[in-house]
């Protein structure tokens, strides 16, 4: 079976619940104001693609390839990124909502979350050295058994992170939000 190869295309205002989206390889494509909500994009390959103002909430990502993909102003609720194809996996997020998503056992260096909402997101057994959580809200996010060495949490807020259950060597934190590292001790910090 031949896979469709699409390069350098701009998709705007597509509603993929109504319009059929053809499985294939999408390289250097942009998706603007598209609705992928609850769509099964399993097995699709996105390489050097940009998603802007898209709703991708609850989409199925089984063996989906996301290689050098950026998400800007997107709604990505309840996604299981651990189901993606791990080969050359790399993506960044800016001004996006990723609440209730999961990054279980994800291996990715230099992942970036810039001004994102990450409420109740699971970071469990992930290898994310040099991650950036710039101006991102981590309320209720779960961090367990991760490698977050040399990561930047200086402008992140509402996080609770146990240094005994995560590797944090050379990670950066703001003195104002250091309480997020001490939550488990039930200390009163004024």
């Amino acid at each position: 079976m031949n896979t469709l190869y699409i390069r350098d295309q701009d998709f705007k205002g597509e509603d993929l619940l109504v319009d059929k989206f053809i499985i294939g390889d999408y390289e250097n494509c942009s998706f603007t104001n598209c609705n992928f909500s609850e769509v099964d994009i399993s097995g699709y390959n996105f390489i050097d693609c940009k998603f802007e103002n898209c709703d991708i909430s609850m989409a199925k990502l089984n063996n989906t390839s996301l290689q050098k993909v950026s998400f800007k102003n997107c709604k990505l609720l309840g996604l299981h990124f651990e189901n993606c194809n791990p080969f050359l996996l790399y993506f960044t997020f800016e001004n996006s909502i990723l609440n209730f998503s999961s990054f279980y056992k994800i291996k990715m260096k230099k992942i970036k979350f810039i001004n994102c909402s990450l409420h109740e997101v699971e970071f469990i057994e992930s290898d994310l050295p040099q991650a950036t959580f710039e101006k991102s809200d981590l309320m209720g996010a779960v961090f367990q058994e991760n490698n977050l060495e040399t990561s930047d949490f200086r402008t992140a807020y509402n996080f609770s992170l146990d240094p005994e259950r995560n590797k944090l060597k050379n990670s950066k934190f703001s003195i104002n939000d250091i309480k997020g590292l001490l939550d488990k001790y039930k200390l009163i910090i004024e």
Side-chain angles (χ1 to χ4, degrees):
M1 182 169 119
N2 292 334
T3 302
L4 186 66
Y5 179 74
I6 300 165
R7 182 178 172 85
D8 302 323
Q9 295 290 314
D10 295 323
F11 297 88
K12 294 182 180 176
E14 303 279 338
D15 186 344
L16 303 175
L17 288 172
V18 177
D19 305 324
K20 291 292 182 194
F21 192 55
I22 301 168
I23 191 167
D25 296 335
Y26 293 82
E27 186 170 356
N28 200 38
C29 293
S30 68
F31 300 87
T32 306
N33 297 317
C34 294
N35 181 13
F36 290 84
S37 181
E38 298 185 34
V39 172
D40 187 350
I41 52 175
S42 298
Y44 287 63
N45 297 311
F46 298 98
I47 303 153
D48 291 315
C49 291
K50 293 180 175 120
F51 291 83
E52 191 164 349
N53 298 315
C54 293
D55 185 354
I56 310 169
S57 299
M58 303 299 292
K60 292 182 183 163
L61 302 174
N62 297 324
N63 206 32
T64 301
S65 182
L66 298 173
Q67 300 175 19
K68 290 176 58 176
V69 173
S70 66
F71 298 95
K72 186 174 183 180
N73 300 315
C74 289
K75 188 174 173 184
L76 305 132
L77 301 175
L79 295 183
H80 289 269
F81 290 98
E82 67 271 14
N83 293 335
C84 290
N85 182 338
F87 182 71
L88 298 175
L89 183 69
Y90 186 76
F91 36 72
T92 61
F93 304 95
E94 185 177 349
N95 298 321
S96 294
I97 302 169
L98 293 108
N99 300 345
F100 310 108
S101 292
S102 174
F103 292 86
Y104 177 68
K105 290 191 175 185
I106 289 287
K107 292 183 181 191
M108 186 183 310
K109 200 174 198 177
K110 298 182 180 182
I111 189 171
K112 289 184 182 179
F113 299 96
I114 299 170
N115 198 34
C116 291
S117 178
L118 297 155
H119 294 191
E120 309 289 332
V121 170
E122 291 184 349
F123 294 98
I124 299 174
E125 297 180 33
S126 296
D127 191 10
L128 302 171
Q130 301 175 18
T132 299
F133 294 90
E134 184 179 320
K135 297 179 184 173
S136 291
D137 185 354
L138 294 160
M139 183 174 283
V142 177
F143 289 92
Q144 293 177 0
E145 313 305 329
N146 298 296
N147 175 6
L148 294 164
E149 292 179 341
T150 65
S151 291
D152 191 345
F153 288 88
R154 289 178 294 180
T155 58
Y157 54 98
N158 292 328
F159 63 86
S160 181
L161 183 57
D162 185 347
E164 294 175 17
R165 297 195 70 190
N166 295 280
K167 293 178 183 177
L168 297 171
K169 185 177 180 180
N170 294 320
S171 289
K172 298 173 185 170
F173 295 89
S174 164
I175 193 72
N176 297 329
D177 288 314
I178 202 76
K179 66 183 186 282
L181 295 171
L182 303 171
D183 282 346
K184 81 174 207 167
Y185 299 111
K186 309 290 185 220
L187 302 173
I188 298 169
I189 302 169
E190 298 178 347

